[in-house]
Amino acid sequence: MSFQLDDRSQSGITNVWLVWTVRNNGSEKSNCSWDWEAVNAGGTRLANGSQLETDVQPGQTAKGEFPSTLKSAEGITLNIASFNRTAGY
């Protein structure tokens, strides 16, 4: 699993995305959900949210992305506050 910020800003237009890769190494279809926060060097939380990937098959890798309200990714730490994997039906 990987989670990171991707700063796509250009020409003065802010465009920072949360991107992730989740792999199902189990033997059954699963759903993954997680809570994240973006924190600056001073410890101030600048953004947070929850994400979900559903019906990830065994051996499958799911990739996703979500826009943020961050002005920049520079100096920002992305923390995963919780991660849950449940059986998919």
Side-chain angles (χ1 to χ4, degrees), residues 30-48:
S30 66
N31 301 320
C32 302
S33 63
W34 61 95
D35 298 318
W36 60 272
E37 64 178 5
V39 180
N40 69 13
T44 301
R45 183 171 72 186
L46 303 175
N48 68 305

Side-chain angles (χ1 to χ4, degrees), residues 1 7 11 17 23-24 32-33 44 51 56-57 76 81 85:
M1 291 176 274
D7 193 341
S11 302
W17 290 68
R23 180 162 176 80
N24 182 358
C32 302
S33 63
T44 301
Q51 305 304 136
V56 183
Q57 299 294 328
I76 305 299
R85 185 181 309 262

Side-chain angles (χ1 to χ4, degrees), residues 3-62:
F3 306 92
Q4 60 187 14
L5 295 173
D6 182 15
D7 193 341
R8 303 172 187 176
S9 302
Q10 58 181 320
S11 302
I13 298 173
T14 302
N15 191 18
V16 180
W17 290 68
L18 172 70
V19 296
W20 62 84
T21 302
V22 177
R23 180 162 176 80
N24 182 358
N25 292 320
S27 60
E28 297 181 5
K29 181 169 60 173
S30 66
N31 301 320
C32 302
S33 63
W34 61 95
D35 298 318
W36 60 272
E37 64 178 5
V39 180
N40 69 13
T44 301
R45 183 171 72 186
L46 303 175
N48 68 305
S50 299
Q51 305 304 136
L52 175 67
E53 281 289 345
T54 59
D55 299 327
V56 183
Q57 299 294 328
Q60 188 177 51
T61 298

